[in-house]
PDB file of all heavy atoms in Angstrom:
ATOM      1  N   LEU A  45       0.836  -1.192   0.000  1.00  0.00           N
ATOM      2  CA  LEU A  45       0.000   0.000   0.000  1.00  0.00           C
ATOM      3  C   LEU A  45       0.876   1.248   0.000  1.00  0.00           C
ATOM      4  O   LEU A  45       1.977   1.248   0.544  1.00  0.00           O
ATOM      5  CB  LEU A  45      -0.916   0.026   1.222  1.00  0.00           C
ATOM      6  CG  LEU A  45      -1.984  -1.051   1.306  1.00  0.00           C
ATOM      7  CD1 LEU A  45      -2.800  -0.877   2.576  1.00  0.00           C
ATOM      8  CD2 LEU A  45      -2.887  -1.043   0.098  1.00  0.00           C
ATOM      9  N   GLN A  46       0.348   2.275  -0.576  1.00  0.00           N
ATOM     10  CA  GLN A  46       1.039   3.564  -0.594  1.00  0.00           C
ATOM     11  C   GLN A  46       0.804   4.281   0.731  1.00  0.00           C
ATOM     12  O   GLN A  46      -0.217   4.051   1.397  1.00  0.00           O
ATOM     13  CB  GLN A  46       0.503   4.427  -1.746  1.00  0.00           C
ATOM     14  CG  GLN A  46       0.722   3.841  -3.113  1.00  0.00           C
ATOM     15  CD  GLN A  46       2.207   3.736  -3.420  1.00  0.00           C
ATOM     16  OE1 GLN A  46       2.958   4.685  -3.206  1.00  0.00           O
ATOM     17  NE2 GLN A  46       2.620   2.582  -3.910  1.00  0.00           N
ATOM     18  N   PRO A  47       1.703   5.156   1.141  1.00  0.00           N
ATOM     19  CA  PRO A  47       1.500   5.910   2.390  1.00  0.00           C
ATOM     20  C   PRO A  47       0.143   6.619   2.432  1.00  0.00           C
ATOM     21  O   PRO A  47      -0.493   6.666   3.480  1.00  0.00           O
ATOM     22  CB  PRO A  47       2.651   6.911   2.402  1.00  0.00           C
ATOM     23  CG  PRO A  47       3.728   6.224   1.628  1.00  0.00           C
ATOM     24  CD  PRO A  47       3.007   5.445   0.550  1.00  0.00           C
ATOM     25  N   ARG A  48      -0.321   7.124   1.313  1.00  0.00           N
ATOM     26  CA  ARG A  48      -1.625   7.813   1.303  1.00  0.00           C
ATOM     27  C   ARG A  48      -2.765   6.848   1.629  1.00  0.00           C
ATOM     28  O   ARG A  48      -3.765   7.240   2.221  1.00  0.00           O
ATOM     29  CB  ARG A  48      -1.857   8.529  -0.023  1.00  0.00           C
ATOM     30  CG  ARG A  48      -2.105   7.612  -1.190  1.00  0.00           C
ATOM     31  CD  ARG A  48      -2.396   8.390  -2.494  1.00  0.00           C
ATOM     32  NE  ARG A  48      -2.525   7.463  -3.583  1.00  0.00           N
ATOM     33  CZ  ARG A  48      -1.529   6.991  -4.317  1.00  0.00           C
ATOM     34  NH1 ARG A  48      -0.298   7.405  -4.085  1.00  0.00           N
ATOM     35  NH2 ARG A  48      -1.749   6.134  -5.290  1.00  0.00           N
ATOM     36  N   ASP A  49      -2.618   5.569   1.253  1.00  0.00           N
ATOM     37  CA  ASP A  49      -3.636   4.569   1.576  1.00  0.00           C
ATOM     38  C   ASP A  49      -3.651   4.297   3.080  1.00  0.00           C
ATOM     39  O   ASP A  49      -4.712   4.220   3.698  1.00  0.00           O
ATOM     40  CB  ASP A  49      -3.384   3.272   0.823  1.00  0.00           C
ATOM     41  CG  ASP A  49      -3.495   3.444  -0.686  1.00  0.00           C
ATOM     42  OD1 ASP A  49      -4.344   4.249  -1.126  1.00  0.00           O
ATOM     43  OD2 ASP A  49      -2.723   2.788  -1.401  1.00  0.00           O
ATOM     44  N   TYR A  50      -2.458   4.139   3.669  1.00  0.00           N
ATOM     45  CA  TYR A  50      -2.379   3.957   5.117  1.00  0.00           C
ATOM     46  C   TYR A  50      -2.940   5.183   5.843  1.00  0.00           C
ATOM     47  O   TYR A  50      -3.644   5.065   6.833  1.00  0.00           O
ATOM     48  CB  TYR A  50      -0.934   3.720   5.565  1.00  0.00           C
ATOM     49  CG  TYR A  50      -0.371   2.393   5.146  1.00  0.00           C
ATOM     50  CD1 TYR A  50       0.781   2.314   4.378  1.00  0.00           C
ATOM     51  CD2 TYR A  50      -0.990   1.194   5.530  1.00  0.00           C
ATOM     52  CE1 TYR A  50       1.313   1.091   4.007  1.00  0.00           C
ATOM     53  CE2 TYR A  50      -0.463  -0.029   5.155  1.00  0.00           C
ATOM     54  CZ  TYR A  50       0.682  -0.075   4.390  1.00  0.00           C
ATOM     55  OH  TYR A  50       1.202  -1.296   4.026  1.00  0.00           O
ATOM     56  N   GLU A  51      -2.614   6.358   5.316  1.00  0.00           N
ATOM     57  CA  GLU A  51      -3.093   7.599   5.926  1.00  0.00           C
ATOM     58  C   GLU A  51      -4.621   7.661   5.884  1.00  0.00           C
ATOM     59  O   GLU A  51      -5.265   8.025   6.867  1.00  0.00           O
ATOM     60  CB  GLU A  51      -2.489   8.800   5.197  1.00  0.00           C
ATOM     61  CG  GLU A  51      -2.879  10.131   5.792  1.00  0.00           C
ATOM     62  CD  GLU A  51      -2.262  11.294   5.027  1.00  0.00           C
ATOM     63  OE1 GLU A  51      -1.224  11.104   4.355  1.00  0.00           O
ATOM     64  OE2 GLU A  51      -2.835  12.385   5.102  1.00  0.00           O
ATOM     65  N   ARG A  52      -5.198   7.312   4.761  1.00  0.00           N
ATOM     66  CA  ARG A  52      -6.656   7.342   4.610  1.00  0.00           C
ATOM     67  C   ARG A  52      -7.321   6.354   5.569  1.00  0.00           C
ATOM     68  O   ARG A  52      -8.292   6.683   6.248  1.00  0.00           O
ATOM     69  CB  ARG A  52      -7.041   7.035   3.166  1.00  0.00           C
ATOM     70  CG  ARG A  52      -8.503   7.303   2.896  1.00  0.00           C
ATOM     71  CD  ARG A  52      -8.849   7.101   1.443  1.00  0.00           C
ATOM     72  NE  ARG A  52      -9.565   5.836   1.403  1.00  0.00           N
ATOM     73  CZ  ARG A  52      -9.418   4.883   0.511  1.00  0.00           C
ATOM     74  NH1 ARG A  52      -8.566   5.033  -0.461  1.00  0.00           N
ATOM     75  NH2 ARG A  52     -10.119   3.788   0.566  1.00  0.00           N
ATOM     76  N   LEU A  53      -6.788   5.144   5.640  1.00  0.00           N
ATOM     77  CA  LEU A  53      -7.345   4.147   6.545  1.00  0.00           C
ATOM     78  C   LEU A  53      -7.209   4.594   8.000  1.00  0.00           C
ATOM     79  O   LEU A  53      -8.137   4.453   8.800  1.00  0.00           O
ATOM     80  CB  LEU A  53      -6.653   2.798   6.341  1.00  0.00           C
ATOM     81  CG  LEU A  53      -7.033   2.063   5.064  1.00  0.00           C
ATOM     82  CD1 LEU A  53      -6.075   0.907   4.811  1.00  0.00           C
ATOM     83  CD2 LEU A  53      -8.464   1.572   5.133  1.00  0.00           C
ATOM     84  N   ALA A  54      -6.050   5.145   8.340  1.00  0.00           N
ATOM     85  CA  ALA A  54      -5.823   5.620   9.706  1.00  0.00           C
ATOM     86  C   ALA A  54      -6.797   6.745  10.049  1.00  0.00           C
ATOM     87  O   ALA A  54      -7.338   6.789  11.159  1.00  0.00           O
ATOM     88  CB  ALA A  54      -4.383   6.096   9.871  1.00  0.00           C
ATOM     89  N   ARG A  55      -7.034   7.636   9.112  1.00  0.00           N
ATOM     90  CA  ARG A  55      -7.962   8.747   9.337  1.00  0.00           C
ATOM     91  C   ARG A  55      -9.372   8.228   9.607  1.00  0.00           C
ATOM     92  O   ARG A  55     -10.050   8.664  10.543  1.00  0.00           O
ATOM     93  CB  ARG A  55      -7.922   9.688   8.135  1.00  0.00           C
ATOM     94  CG  ARG A  55      -8.462  11.058   8.405  1.00  0.00           C
ATOM     95  CD  ARG A  55      -8.243  12.057   7.268  1.00  0.00           C
ATOM     96  NE  ARG A  55      -8.595  11.539   5.964  1.00  0.00           N
ATOM     97  CZ  ARG A  55      -7.727  11.289   4.979  1.00  0.00           C
ATOM     98  NH1 ARG A  55      -6.450  11.515   5.156  1.00  0.00           N
ATOM     99  NH2 ARG A  55      -8.131  10.829   3.822  1.00  0.00           N
ATOM    100  N   HIS A  56      -9.832   7.264   8.811  1.00  0.00           N
ATOM    101  CA  HIS A  56     -11.171   6.699   9.002  1.00  0.00           C
ATOM    102  C   HIS A  56     -11.283   5.956  10.332  1.00  0.00           C
ATOM    103  O   HIS A  56     -12.265   6.118  11.062  1.00  0.00           O
ATOM    104  CB  HIS A  56     -11.531   5.737   7.859  1.00  0.00           C
ATOM    105  CG  HIS A  56     -11.923   6.431   6.603  1.00  0.00           C
ATOM    106  ND1 HIS A  56     -13.117   7.088   6.459  1.00  0.00           N
ATOM    107  CD2 HIS A  56     -11.288   6.552   5.417  1.00  0.00           C
ATOM    108  CE1 HIS A  56     -13.207   7.594   5.249  1.00  0.00           C
ATOM    109  NE2 HIS A  56     -12.096   7.284   4.594  1.00  0.00           N
ATOM    110  N   LEU A  57     -10.283   5.148  10.648  1.00  0.00           N
ATOM    111  CA  LEU A  57     -10.320   4.391  11.903  1.00  0.00           C
ATOM    112  C   LEU A  57     -10.242   5.325  13.116  1.00  0.00           C
ATOM    113  O   LEU A  57     -10.944   5.113  14.108  1.00  0.00           O
ATOM    114  CB  LEU A  57      -9.193   3.361  11.938  1.00  0.00           C
ATOM    115  CG  LEU A  57      -9.393   2.162  11.013  1.00  0.00           C
ATOM    116  CD1 LEU A  57      -8.093   1.380  10.847  1.00  0.00           C
ATOM    117  CD2 LEU A  57     -10.505   1.254  11.527  1.00  0.00           C
ATOM    118  N   ALA A  58      -9.419   6.359  13.027  1.00  0.00           N
ATOM    119  CA  ALA A  58      -9.310   7.317  14.132  1.00  0.00           C
ATOM    120  C   ALA A  58     -10.627   8.067  14.332  1.00  0.00           C
ATOM    121  O   ALA A  58     -11.064   8.282  15.469  1.00  0.00           O
ATOM    122  CB  ALA A  58      -8.166   8.300  13.878  1.00  0.00           C
ATOM    123  N   ALA A  59     -11.281   8.439  13.243  1.00  0.00           N
ATOM    124  CA  ALA A  59     -12.571   9.127  13.352  1.00  0.00           C
ATOM    125  C   ALA A  59     -13.607   8.219  14.005  1.00  0.00           C
ATOM    126  O   ALA A  59     -14.372   8.649  14.878  1.00  0.00           O
ATOM    127  CB  ALA A  59     -13.050   9.582  11.973  1.00  0.00           C
ATOM    128  N   GLN A  60     -13.627   6.960  13.619  1.00  0.00           N
ATOM    129  CA  GLN A  60     -14.573   6.024  14.218  1.00  0.00           C
ATOM    130  C   GLN A  60     -14.241   5.807  15.694  1.00  0.00           C
ATOM    131  O   GLN A  60     -15.140   5.740  16.533  1.00  0.00           O
ATOM    132  CB  GLN A  60     -14.577   4.699  13.465  1.00  0.00           C
ATOM    133  CG  GLN A  60     -15.649   3.737  13.926  1.00  0.00           C
ATOM    134  CD  GLN A  60     -17.068   4.182  13.603  1.00  0.00           C
ATOM    135  OE1 GLN A  60     -17.296   5.244  13.033  1.00  0.00           O
ATOM    136  NE2 GLN A  60     -18.023   3.375  13.974  1.00  0.00           N
ATOM    137  N   ALA A  61     -12.968   5.713  16.029  1.00  0.00           N
ATOM    138  CA  ALA A  61     -12.563   5.551  17.431  1.00  0.00           C
ATOM    139  C   ALA A  61     -13.034   6.741  18.264  1.00  0.00           C
ATOM    140  O   ALA A  61     -13.488   6.561  19.402  1.00  0.00           O
ATOM    141  CB  ALA A  61     -11.049   5.380  17.529  1.00  0.00           C
ATOM    142  N   ARG A  62     -12.959   7.948  17.720  1.00  0.00           N
ATOM    143  CA  ARG A  62     -13.428   9.134  18.450  1.00  0.00           C
ATOM    144  C   ARG A  62     -14.934   9.060  18.707  1.00  0.00           C
ATOM    145  O   ARG A  62     -15.401   9.376  19.798  1.00  0.00           O
ATOM    146  CB  ARG A  62     -13.088  10.407  17.670  1.00  0.00           C
ATOM    147  CG  ARG A  62     -11.656  10.797  17.766  1.00  0.00           C
ATOM    148  CD  ARG A  62     -11.355  12.123  17.065  1.00  0.00           C
ATOM    149  NE  ARG A  62      -9.931  12.353  17.056  1.00  0.00           N
ATOM    150  CZ  ARG A  62      -9.101  11.933  16.100  1.00  0.00           C
ATOM    151  NH1 ARG A  62      -9.561  11.286  15.040  1.00  0.00           N
ATOM    152  NH2 ARG A  62      -7.817  12.167  16.179  1.00  0.00           N
ATOM    153  N   VAL A  63     -15.688   8.634  17.702  1.00  0.00           N
ATOM    154  CA  VAL A  63     -17.136   8.503  17.847  1.00  0.00           C
ATOM    155  C   VAL A  63     -17.463   7.460  18.917  1.00  0.00           C
ATOM    156  O   VAL A  63     -18.299   7.681  19.796  1.00  0.00           O
ATOM    157  CB  VAL A  63     -17.793   8.117  16.492  1.00  0.00           C
ATOM    158  CG1 VAL A  63     -19.247   7.728  16.671  1.00  0.00           C
ATOM    159  CG2 VAL A  63     -17.654   9.258  15.502  1.00  0.00           C
ATOM    160  N   LEU A  64     -16.789   6.322  18.845  1.00  0.00           N
ATOM    161  CA  LEU A  64     -17.036   5.248  19.809  1.00  0.00           C
ATOM    162  C   LEU A  64     -16.632   5.671  21.221  1.00  0.00           C
ATOM    163  O   LEU A  64     -17.326   5.365  22.195  1.00  0.00           O
ATOM    164  CB  LEU A  64     -16.283   3.986  19.393  1.00  0.00           C
ATOM    165  CG  LEU A  64     -16.747   3.356  18.080  1.00  0.00           C
ATOM    166  CD1 LEU A  64     -15.805   2.230  17.670  1.00  0.00           C
ATOM    167  CD2 LEU A  64     -18.172   2.869  18.179  1.00  0.00           C
ATOM    168  N   ALA A  65     -15.509   6.380  21.332  1.00  0.00           N
ATOM    169  CA  ALA A  65     -15.055   6.845  22.644  1.00  0.00           C
ATOM    170  C   ALA A  65     -16.066   7.812  23.247  1.00  0.00           C
ATOM    171  O   ALA A  65     -16.330   7.767  24.454  1.00  0.00           O
ATOM    172  CB  ALA A  65     -13.674   7.496  22.533  1.00  0.00           C
ATOM    173  N   GLU A  66     -16.636   8.662  22.441  1.00  0.00           N
ATOM    174  CA  GLU A  66     -17.646   9.599  22.941  1.00  0.00           C
ATOM    175  C   GLU A  66     -18.884   8.846  23.419  1.00  0.00           C
ATOM    176  O   GLU A  66     -19.437   9.165  24.478  1.00  0.00           O
ATOM    177  CB  GLU A  66     -18.024  10.616  21.852  1.00  0.00           C
ATOM    178  CG  GLU A  66     -18.982  11.678  22.332  1.00  0.00           C
ATOM    179  CD  GLU A  66     -18.468  12.465  23.532  1.00  0.00           C
ATOM    180  OE1 GLU A  66     -17.255  12.714  23.637  1.00  0.00           O
ATOM    181  OE2 GLU A  66     -19.303  12.832  24.390  1.00  0.00           O
ATOM    182  N   SER A  67     -19.300   7.832  22.699  1.00  0.00           N
ATOM    183  CA  SER A  67     -20.433   7.008  23.141  1.00  0.00           C
ATOM    184  C   SER A  67     -20.094   6.300  24.451  1.00  0.00           C
ATOM    185  O   SER A  67     -20.916   6.238  25.369  1.00  0.00           O
ATOM    186  CB  SER A  67     -20.781   5.960  22.079  1.00  0.00           C
ATOM    187  OG  SER A  67     -21.254   6.566  20.918  1.00  0.00           O
ATOM    188  N   LEU A  68     -18.890   5.771  24.536  1.00  0.00           N
ATOM    189  CA  LEU A  68     -18.455   5.083  25.744  1.00  0.00           C
ATOM    190  C   LEU A  68     -18.404   6.052  26.928  1.00  0.00           C
ATOM    191  O   LEU A  68     -18.831   5.724  28.032  1.00  0.00           O
ATOM    192  CB  LEU A  68     -17.088   4.430  25.519  1.00  0.00           C
ATOM    193  CG  LEU A  68     -16.509   3.637  26.681  1.00  0.00           C
ATOM    194  CD1 LEU A  68     -17.448   2.519  27.112  1.00  0.00           C
ATOM    195  CD2 LEU A  68     -15.151   3.063  26.292  1.00  0.00           C
ATOM    196  N   ARG A  69     -17.921   7.260  26.689  1.00  0.00           N
ATOM    197  CA  ARG A  69     -17.855   8.276  27.739  1.00  0.00           C
ATOM    198  C   ARG A  69     -19.248   8.573  28.291  1.00  0.00           C
ATOM    199  O   ARG A  69     -19.444   8.648  29.506  1.00  0.00           O
ATOM    200  CB  ARG A  69     -17.230   9.560  27.172  1.00  0.00           C
ATOM    201  CG  ARG A  69     -16.221  10.191  28.041  1.00  0.00           C
ATOM    202  CD  ARG A  69     -15.552  11.406  27.409  1.00  0.00           C
ATOM    203  NE  ARG A  69     -14.201  11.055  26.993  1.00  0.00           N
ATOM    204  CZ  ARG A  69     -13.796  10.858  25.741  1.00  0.00           C
ATOM    205  NH1 ARG A  69     -14.623  11.000  24.743  1.00  0.00           N
ATOM    206  NH2 ARG A  69     -12.561  10.527  25.473  1.00  0.00           N
ATOM    207  N   ARG A  70     -20.224   8.726  27.384  1.00  0.00           N
ATOM    208  CA  ARG A  70     -21.604   9.014  27.806  1.00  0.00           C
ATOM    209  C   ARG A  70     -22.170   7.878  28.653  1.00  0.00           C
ATOM    210  O   ARG A  70     -22.836   8.107  29.656  1.00  0.00           O
ATOM    211  CB  ARG A  70     -22.492   9.275  26.594  1.00  0.00           C
ATOM    212  CG  ARG A  70     -22.301  10.644  25.972  1.00  0.00           C
ATOM    213  CD  ARG A  70     -23.415  10.986  25.007  1.00  0.00           C
ATOM    214  NE  ARG A  70     -23.571  10.013  23.938  1.00  0.00           N
ATOM    215  CZ  ARG A  70     -23.062  10.134  22.717  1.00  0.00           C
ATOM    216  NH1 ARG A  70     -22.360  11.193  22.403  1.00  0.00           N
ATOM    217  NH2 ARG A  70     -23.261   9.205  21.814  1.00  0.00           N
ATOM    218  N   LEU A  71     -21.909   6.630  28.247  1.00  0.00           N
ATOM    219  CA  LEU A  71     -22.413   5.483  29.003  1.00  0.00           C
ATOM    220  C   LEU A  71     -21.683   5.328  30.333  1.00  0.00           C
ATOM    221  O   LEU A  71     -22.272   4.938  31.341  1.00  0.00           O
ATOM    222  CB  LEU A  71     -22.266   4.201  28.186  1.00  0.00           C
ATOM    223  CG  LEU A  71     -23.193   4.068  26.979  1.00  0.00           C
ATOM    224  CD1 LEU A  71     -22.802   2.857  26.146  1.00  0.00           C
ATOM    225  CD2 LEU A  71     -24.633   3.974  27.423  1.00  0.00           C
ATOM    226  N   CYS A  72     -20.416   5.629  30.329  1.00  0.00           N
ATOM    227  CA  CYS A  72     -19.571   5.465  31.515  1.00  0.00           C
ATOM    228  C   CYS A  72     -20.045   6.381  32.647  1.00  0.00           C
ATOM    229  O   CYS A  72     -20.018   5.993  33.821  1.00  0.00           O
ATOM    230  CB  CYS A  72     -18.133   5.775  31.131  1.00  0.00           C
ATOM    231  SG  CYS A  72     -16.924   5.218  32.309  1.00  0.00           S
TER     232      CYS A  72
END
């Protein structure tokens, strides 16, 4: 994979992690 592909995947996964963390924070 090209660095831009890793960057794109990392960006999507990080965004999803932020959303999930916010949901977890609310439940916690």
Side-chain angles (χ1 to χ4, degrees):
L45 294 180
Q46 298 296 313
R48 71 177 176 274
D49 296 325
Y50 290 122
E51 182 180 336
R52 191 176 105 222
L53 287 167
R55 199 172 47 247
H56 283 288
L57 288 166
Q60 187 68 359
R62 284 184 187 89
V63 170
L64 295 172
E66 184 57 35
S67 294
L68 182 58
R69 224 176 254 106
R70 284 194 303 263
L71 290 172
C72 195

